[in-house]
Amino acid sequence: PDASSFPSGGLRATWEARGYTAWNPASPLFIMEAAGTKTLCIPSVFIGYNGEALDEVAPLFRSSEVLSKAARELLETIGDKGALRVYTTMGTEQEFFVIDRTHFAMRPDLVMGGRTLVGAAPPRGQQLEDHYFGGIPERVQAFLAEVEFELYKLGVPIVTRHNEVAPCQFEMAPMFEETDIASDHNQLVMSVLKDVALRHGLQVLLNEKPFAGINGSGKHCNWSLSIASDNELNGINLLKPGKTPHQNIRFLMFLAAVLKGVHKHQGLLRAGIGTSGNEHRLGANEAPPAIISVFMGNALTKMIEDIIAGRAGTKGEQAMLQLGVAKLPEIEQDNTDRNRTSPFAFTGAKFEFRAVGSSQSIAFPVMIVNTVVAEAITELTAQLKKEIAAGVAVDDAALKVVRKAFKDTSAIRFEGNGYSDAWVKEAKKRGLLNLRRAPEALAQLTTKGAKDVFTSTGVLTAAELESRYHVRVERYVKDVLIEMETLAEMLDTMILPAGYSYLGALAEGAAKAKAAGIKTIPQKAALESVGKLVSALQTKTAALHAAIKRAHGLHADIAKCAAFLTSTGADAMLACRDVSDKLEVSVGDAHWPLPRYREMLFPV
């Protein structure tokens, strides 16, 4: 296939066209049926002529191999022999909106960008929680049943479906499976959702924030580590406490590695979820904040703090017994309350990366998780070997290494309300990053730490890493420019003309009232109010056009253009929206050209 037509961030010149697909035999083949045609699909990676990874999944495979190698070395060091490989498992929860296809077709902003750029809030949104706790509407249930049937034929069994909090919002999730396969399967989930919706006269919206003022959509990635072996280690979840002191030493080592990786590379994890859509979702009251932190729960937090303080002694086996870790398996699922404000939470034998956006491929953010944890495991193993070489017993050496890792990563652990202003201040004191906008988050891909971790592990070359930064920044710029130009066109050709039309109707009515001898003309106040809004919107629209022109002038410097769009460009769009939404609730229904929120979110 033509590699020059694929976004490559400079990896491929336009005249260097050759690219290769390489079959991934670990991911099953499948047959897609559409319009009476059956197509054999072979999951593959996409690479350039010189072997450069041009896709999302090839680096994910590399990170899986690197993580497996590092984890097996650690297992060998602590005496767990015979692990053939260590693999990650993934359960991907997919959130999405479903609206009527007719309403979608009448909204240029939804068609062009997947989210509404204007729209006044309806009197009723999600405040009653009636959608969340209600049954799935019959029309949507029929649609979801067909989606599940189609996915089952493709080898993707769906095990949960339910309403989400916002009206017309839903969620579904497949069985847990190996991450490399789960990545392919989630792509199929998104594709099948969109295709089947059309058969039912519906439209699926995967944008992270299609409607302002109500919940957006995420993709919760439930990530864990398991052993493949031909002995008693087979199937063991490395993030699940065991029943013996040694098993829990193993658990603590891998737990410490995750904390170490997330703490050291918090900026990279934030970069992994840096998209234009997620920029509007993160930090709202349905999504984690842009500050990366880890929630451990009361029981594990107490255990970690006890280890740091040395309250359990210095002997590994003795410490495990004193801490009561062996009792954890009986209460692990509910040993603490759930913290939905945490972007990276331990939820019993797994971590839930809640900050991933609903439209994203999981391959990129999970590749980052795999890589930073692999690096951390390697560093902890080196420390462990050094202690053992000095004559310290294995379990005692492991506890010493774990104690230091827990102490060094204290800043990343947070149990409180991630939405609060107090946490923003506290996070700053702890030295945690608060990267609200996508461009500043994506800039983390250009740091020395990013280059070091990816090149040292072999997951990405320096050129491949740089290309991923450029591709993502360029995509951000294109997304926002499409939104700005779409909004400008809607204002010029739909919203302002609606205001003019309504003003004309009011003026005509006022003239007739005056001719009829009516002393108090009822349209006069409305004429003045709507006239001011139309005039203000004209001014804001002119500023939006100026911002668009300026952005195009900056396009040669993509980073500078992105910074402009995320500040001046975003402000210009919000200013237009503010006035437009006020105008919407002032203009009569017969004159307003767009489906309103109450029509799209509460279909009859």
Side-chain angles (χ1 to χ4, degrees), residues 148-164:
E148 291 165 14
F149 177 72
E150 293 295 334
L151 286 172
Y152 186 79
K153 290 195 296 183
L154 297 173
V156 190
I158 299 297
V159 294
T160 63
R161 83 175 89 90
H162 61 86
N163 293 347
E164 255 303 332

Side-chain angles (χ1 to χ4, degrees), residues 13 121 246 276 333 499 545 594:
H246 174 75
S276 60
Q333 294 300 325
H545 279 289
L594 300 168

Side-chain angles (χ1 to χ4, degrees), residues 290-318:
I291 303 167
I292 298 295
S293 65
V294 180
F295 170 80
M296 296 304 304
N298 297 334
L300 285 179
T301 295
K302 182 181 183 305
M303 180 192 70
I304 290 170
E305 294 299 331
D306 285 344
I307 291 174
I308 292 174
R311 284 190 284 267
T314 58
K315 294 293 183 182
E317 183 170 344
Q318 177 193 38

Side-chain angles (χ1 to χ4, degrees), residues 215-372:
N215 279 15
S217 297
K219 197 189 309 266
H220 305 160
C221 295
N222 295 278
W223 178 93
S224 194
L225 288 161
S226 293
I227 301 175
S229 177
D230 55 7
N231 59 23
E232 70 278 359
L233 294 175
N234 189 54
I236 287 177
N237 185 332
L238 292 169
L239 293 178
K240 181 176 182 179
K243 297 181 179 180
T244 69
H246 174 75
Q247 289 171 355
N248 288 310
I249 283 285
R250 180 177 63 207
F251 162 69
L252 292 176
M253 285 294 298
F254 282 94
L255 188 67
V258 175
L259 289 172
K260 184 177 175 67
V262 174
H263 178 257
K264 182 178 180 180
H265 296 290
Q266 50 176 296
L268 273 184
L269 265 69
R270 176 64 182 90
I273 53 173
T275 66
S276 60
N278 223 16
E279 185 173 76
H280 300 287
R281 167 181 167 259
L282 292 176
N285 283 342
E286 81 286 355
I291 303 167
I292 298 295
S293 65
V294 180
F295 170 80
M296 296 304 304
N298 297 334
L300 285 179
T301 295
K302 182 181 183 305
M303 180 192 70
I304 290 170
E305 294 299 331
D306 285 344
I307 291 174
I308 292 174
R311 284 190 284 267
T314 58
K315 294 293 183 182
E317 183 170 344
Q318 177 193 38
M320 292 302 98
L321 293 173
Q322 287 179 338
L323 291 168
V325 181
K327 298 178 182 178
L328 280 177
E330 290 137 29
I331 58 172
E332 69 178 77
Q333 294 300 325
D334 297 296
N335 66 351
T336 190
D337 204 352
R338 175 171 173 257
N339 190 330
R340 61 192 295 272
T341 73
S342 175
F344 204 85
F346 186 79
T347 53
K350 58 184 173 63
F351 280 93
E352 183 181 19
F353 194 5
R354 293 178 51 83
V356 179
S358 56
S359 66
Q360 284 189 264
S361 162
I362 67 171
F364 186 67
V366 175
M367 176 272 290
I368 293 175
V369 174
N370 287 354
T371 305
V372 302

Side-chain angles (χ1 to χ4, degrees), residues 423-501:
W423 169 231
V424 175
K425 296 176 182 177
E426 172 66 20
K428 186 176 181 179
K429 289 180 181 178
R430 295 187 184 194
L432 301 182
L433 299 172
N434 184 11
L435 306 172
R436 281 289 301 121
R437 297 292 188 173
E440 60 181 343
L442 292 171
Q444 292 293 308
L445 296 172
T446 66
T447 62
K448 182 179 183 300
K451 184 178 294 186
D452 288 347
V453 69
F454 285 119
T455 57
S456 65
T457 56
V459 172
L460 291 172
T461 65
E464 288 172 336
L465 175 60
E466 185 178 358
S467 78
R468 274 143 186 83
Y469 166 72
H470 285 292
V471 166
R472 280 163 175 76
V473 173
E474 185 176 5
R475 176 59 187 265
Y476 178 87
V477 167
K478 289 178 178 178
D479 284 346
V480 178
L481 273 174
I482 287 170
E483 289 184 351
M484 291 176 71
E485 291 176 356
T486 300
L487 177 57
E489 184 176 297
M490 291 172 68
L491 292 168
D492 288 336
T493 65
M494 301 177 80
I495 297 172
L496 281 171
Y500 304 149
S501 174

Side-chain angles (χ1 to χ4, degrees), residues 68-91:
S68 177
K69 181 181 178 181
R72 283 187 290 114
E73 185 178 2
L74 176 54
L75 289 170
E76 289 279 337
T77 304
I78 62 175
D80 289 328
K81 310 292 184 181
L84 300 175
R85 66 187 182 102
V86 172
Y87 60 95
T88 62
T89 57
M90 175 64 59

Side-chain angles (χ1 to χ4, degrees), residues 96 98 140-154 156-158 161 172 188-200 202 204:
F96 52 94
V98 180
V140 176
Q141 176 74 352
F143 152 61
L144 290 179
E146 186 174 346
V147 167
E148 291 165 14
F149 177 72
E150 293 295 334
L151 286 172
Y152 186 79
K153 290 195 296 183
L154 297 173
V156 190
I158 299 297
R161 83 175 89 90
M172 66 194 317
L188 284 174
V189 167
M190 292 190 287
S191 177
V192 171
L193 277 169
K194 288 182 176 181
D195 291 345
V196 174
L198 300 180
R199 303 175 199 165
H200 292 258
L202 299 169
V204 164

Side-chain angles (χ1 to χ4, degrees), residues 499-500 502-511 521-534:
Y500 304 149
Y502 191 56
L503 282 173
L506 289 173
E508 183 181 353
I521 300 175
Q523 293 90 342
K524 185 176 180 181
L527 264 170
E528 184 175 349
S529 174
V530 174
K532 287 181 178 179
L533 289 173
V534 170

